[in-house]
């Protein structure tokens, strides 16, 4: 029994997460996948990241489903397949994940992995926007501004751009100006989580002994 451990570096954290993941801890598995994906504390390994994300995705973890889906758009650790990405985005979106809703909408808007469909794109953008997701609010503004999936409505477009701007999305402020000046609009593409789910990478002391027996 090593006793109490304090993870004060990403390298240490990776070791703790591996122990905890092997013991079946879902949050540790997610964190380990994130470290492998981003090469934090350990060498990046897309195959391992994809494997861990898939494990969690099949258990119904919507954050993992969303990130796992995004890997299929880049071919990281999995075979490039926009169609498979859409399948996993759909699972997470239907389960209420707002990032997945946004990503699914983007696939419908661009025709990536599915038949291009502006009405479905607007539907899912609105679903995420109603959950106060700024990138989706900005996208709804764009859809109204361009008349995609709905009748063009500059007033509604401005309302949605302003909502996104109020939520801290600077891009939306530029889009408000573009709306008035008939300029080009900018959108954010794929959204995935970047944060881990534990205090191990902070300066807080936590008891890791349960994973080090």
């Amino acid at each position: 029994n090593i006793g109490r451990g304090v993870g004060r570096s990403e390298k240490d954290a990776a070791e703790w997460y591996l122990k905890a993941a092997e013991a079946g801890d879902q949050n540790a598995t997610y964190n380990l996948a994130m470290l492998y994906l981003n090469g934090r504390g350990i060498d990046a390994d897309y195959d391992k990241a994809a494997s861990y994300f898939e494990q969690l995705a099949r258990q119904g973890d919507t954050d993992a489903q969303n990130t796992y889906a995004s890997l299929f758009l880049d071919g990281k650790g999995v075979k490039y397949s926009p169609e498979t990405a859409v399948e996993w985005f759909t699972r997470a979106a239907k389960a209420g994940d707002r990032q997945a809703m946004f990503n699914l909408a983007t696939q419908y808007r661009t025709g990536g992995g599915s038949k291009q469909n502006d009405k479905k794109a607007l539907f899912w953008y609105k679903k995420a926007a109603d959950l106060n997701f700024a990138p989706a609010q900005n996208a709804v503004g764009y859809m109204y501004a361009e008349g995609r999936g709905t009748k063009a409505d500059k007033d509604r477009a401005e309302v949605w751009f302003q909502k996104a701007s109020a939520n801290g999305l600077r891009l939306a402020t530029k889009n408000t100006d573009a709306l008035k000046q008939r300029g080009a609009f900018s959108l954010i593409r794929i959204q995935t989580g970047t944060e881990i789910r534990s205090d191990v990478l902070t300066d807080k002391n936590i008891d890791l002994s349960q994973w080090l027996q």
Side-chain angles (χ1 to χ4, degrees), residues 7 20 25 35 39 53 57 73-74 89 107 130 180 196 200 212:
D25 187 280
L35 295 188
F53 280 129
L73 297 179
D74 296 324
F89 283 143
Q107 295 308 106
D130 287 340
K180 298 175 181 178
I196 60 169
V200 174
L212 300 173

Side-chain angles (χ1 to χ4, degrees), residues 7-79:
R8 295 192 181 278
S9 73
E10 292 177 340
K11 183 177 180 181
D12 289 338
E15 296 178 4
W16 308 142
Y17 291 152
L18 180 58
K19 293 285 187 180
E22 290 174 345
D25 187 280
Q26 290 190 348
N27 288 335
T29 301
Y30 180 87
N31 292 347
L32 185 60
M34 290 296 292
L35 295 188
Y36 275 125
L37 179 62
N38 298 309
R40 293 174 53 186
I42 51 180
D43 292 335
D45 190 322
Y46 296 143
D47 290 342
K48 288 183 178 179
S51 178
Y52 283 123
F53 280 129
E54 180 183 12
Q55 175 184 328
L56 294 174
R58 295 192 181 283
Q59 294 172 2
D61 186 312
T62 59
D63 288 335
Q65 289 173 341
N66 182 60
T67 303
Y68 185 53
S70 72
L71 298 181
F72 286 96
L73 297 179
D74 296 324
K76 291 183 176 180
V78 294
K79 184 178 180 180

